[in-house]
Amino acid sequence: KESLSKLSLGMTKEKVQRIMGTKEIAVYNDWGDKIGVISNPHKAETLESNENTFEVLYYYTDIRHSDAMITEEELTPIVFEDGKLVGFGWDFFIGIKNK
């Protein structure tokens, strides 16, 4: 999550991925047992909004429950247009999705 503070608008997708990482994350339960592995970015999608096409990478940034199940609230969307970072976070994502 702290890597988000290193992002700047206009960065290339490749630079963002270097900062955010593309490694798997081990998930442990409250007793310290490894219960799963999550890849980052966790998922990706293309979003069409009016005349714009955005690529969205979802990073696993906010562990809420140690259960290896990923919920939307545990992910942060990072949004690119034409290969450049245009914004991140749910407020930004919802704003472009509703245009």
Side-chain angles (χ1 to χ4, degrees):
K1 186 173 183 169
E2 67 185 57
S3 295
L4 292 170
S5 66
K6 298 175 185 174
L7 301 182
S8 299
L9 298 181
M11 282 183 172
T12 64
K13 178 182 170 185
E14 292 76 20
K15 186 165 185 176
V16 169
Q17 287 183 300
R18 279 195 304 274
I19 291 169
M20 294 300 295
T22 55
K23 297 180 181 179
E24 293 182 336
I25 299 169
V27 180
Y28 298 87
N29 65 18
D30 294 334
W31 301 276
D33 302 317
K34 185 176 177 180
I35 56 174
V37 176
I38 297 166
S39 60
N40 253 338
H42 178 64
K43 67 178 183 173
E45 72 175 340
T46 300
L47 176 65
E48 301 285 336
S49 176
N50 290 333
E51 301 170 5
N52 304 35
T53 300
F54 300 97
E55 181 179 6
V56 185
L57 300 180
Y58 295 87
Y59 275 84
Y60 184 56
T61 56
D62 297 297
I63 300 168
R64 306 279 185 189
H65 307 286
S66 298
D67 58 7
M69 295 181 64
I70 311 279
T71 61
E72 192 172 90
E73 66 187 3
E74 294 175 305
L75 299 174
T76 299
I78 299 179
V79 183
F80 301 90
E81 183 177 22
D82 298 325
K84 304 283 185 184
L85 177 66
V86 293
F88 58 91
W90 286 107
D91 289 340
F92 180 81
F93 177 80
I94 290 167
I96 64 165
K97 192 173 181 178
N98 291 332
K99 284 185 177 181

